[in-house]
């Protein structure tokens, strides 16, 4: 899926309920121009995030930008994600014990997460101004993700278009439509 120009990208949980949220998998998304990438409002045991592209976070909301917020230690997998634009105030805010990580390298060394993720690698979208988040043929994120988020998974594209054959949202003029 795609998320664009919102204060929060993907929010999991609800602080106004006692419901339990477990085993969420957030994969193959483009989170564009939002203040936060993925935010939880409560502990989410088993949370996984992989093959996501976080693009221009904080450009509309420069004083509050983070890839992840309120992430707890029961998260099981963060890997093969791409962070692009350098406007992030921190990678993670309000991690267990209140630890904040201000860079991908400190997040990796402090948690072991995102070992195969990249930062400041331009995803080379087809046309960002028209929100065409397909990857160009020369994109470094083509076949850089993994089908299951682990190093042994099958290579897939990062972002919303795993195989580049998916149609998400309005059709482009170049998309074929069966009669």
């Amino acid at each position: 899926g795609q998320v664009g120009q919102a204060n929060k990208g993907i929010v999991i949980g609800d602080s106004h309920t006692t419901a339990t949220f477990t085993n969420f998998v957030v994969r193959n998304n483009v989170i564009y121009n939002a203040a936060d990438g993925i935010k939880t409002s409560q502990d989410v045991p088993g949370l996984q995030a992989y093959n996501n592209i976080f693009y221009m976070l904080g450009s509309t909301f420069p004083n509050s930008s983070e890839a992840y917020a309120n992430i707890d230690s029961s998260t099981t997998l963060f890997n093969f994600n791409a962070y692009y634009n350098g406007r992030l105030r921190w990678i993670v805010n309000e991690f267990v014990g209140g630890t904040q990580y201000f860079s991908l390298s400190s997040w990796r060394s402090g948690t072991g997460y995102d070992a195969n993720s990249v930062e400041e690698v331009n995803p080379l979208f087809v046309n960002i101004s028209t929100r065409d988040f397909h990857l160009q043929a020369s994109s470094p994120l083509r076949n850089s993700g993994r089908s299951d988020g682990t190093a042994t998974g099958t290579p897939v594209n990062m972002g919303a278009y795993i195989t580049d054959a998916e149609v998400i949202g309005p059709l482009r003029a170049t998309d074929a439509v069966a009669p």
Side-chain angles (χ1 to χ4, degrees):
Q2 303 171 32
V3 175
Q5 293 184 309
N7 190 17
K8 306 295 181 210
I10 296 173
V11 178
I12 303 168
D14 182 352
S15 60
H16 303 291
T17 183
T18 58
T20 303
F21 298 87
T22 60
N23 300 317
F24 270 76
V25 177
V26 180
R27 68 174 178 239
N28 294 97
N29 295 282
V30 173
I31 302 169
Y32 167 76
N33 206 17
D36 299 325
I38 299 172
K39 183 171 186 146
T40 63
S41 59
Q42 62 192 70
D43 290 348
V44 182
L47 175 63
Q48 298 182 24
Y50 55 91
N51 298 337
N52 299 293
I53 300 173
F54 299 86
Y55 187 87
M56 291 181 64
L57 296 184
S59 59
T60 301
F61 309 94
N63 295 323
S64 174
S65 59
E66 53 208 7
Y68 307 116
N70 306 332
I71 303 299
D72 66 76
S73 62
S74 62
T75 297
T76 58
L77 177 69
F78 280 73
N79 209 1
F80 294 99
N81 295 298
Y83 308 95
Y84 181 70
N85 195 316
R87 290 188 175 133
L88 289 177
R89 214 165 108 195
W90 45 69
I91 292 290
V92 175
N93 184 30
E94 300 173 33
F95 189 67
V96 163
T99 303
Q100 294 176 318
Y101 296 97
F102 293 93
S103 68
L104 181 57
S105 62
S106 67
W107 165 242
R108 281 180 178 148
S109 65
T111 66
Y113 294 138
D114 273 319
N116 297 292
S117 296
V118 296
E119 64 181 331
E120 295 313 312
V121 172
N122 188 335
L124 298 177
F125 294 123
V126 168
N127 190 337
I128 195 73
S129 65
T130 62
R131 308 295 192 264
D132 185 344
F133 295 112
H134 286 86
L135 299 175
Q136 294 178 26
S138 60
S139 171
L141 301 184
R142 282 189 167 278
N143 292 313
S144 292
R146 294 296 181 269
S147 57
D148 62 0
T150 69
T152 58
T154 304
V156 296
N157 293 341
M158 286 187 184
Y161 298 96
I162 303 164
T163 66
D164 209 32
E166 298 83 7
V167 176
I168 300 171
L171 294 176
R172 298 178 298 176
T174 57
D175 290 326
V177 178

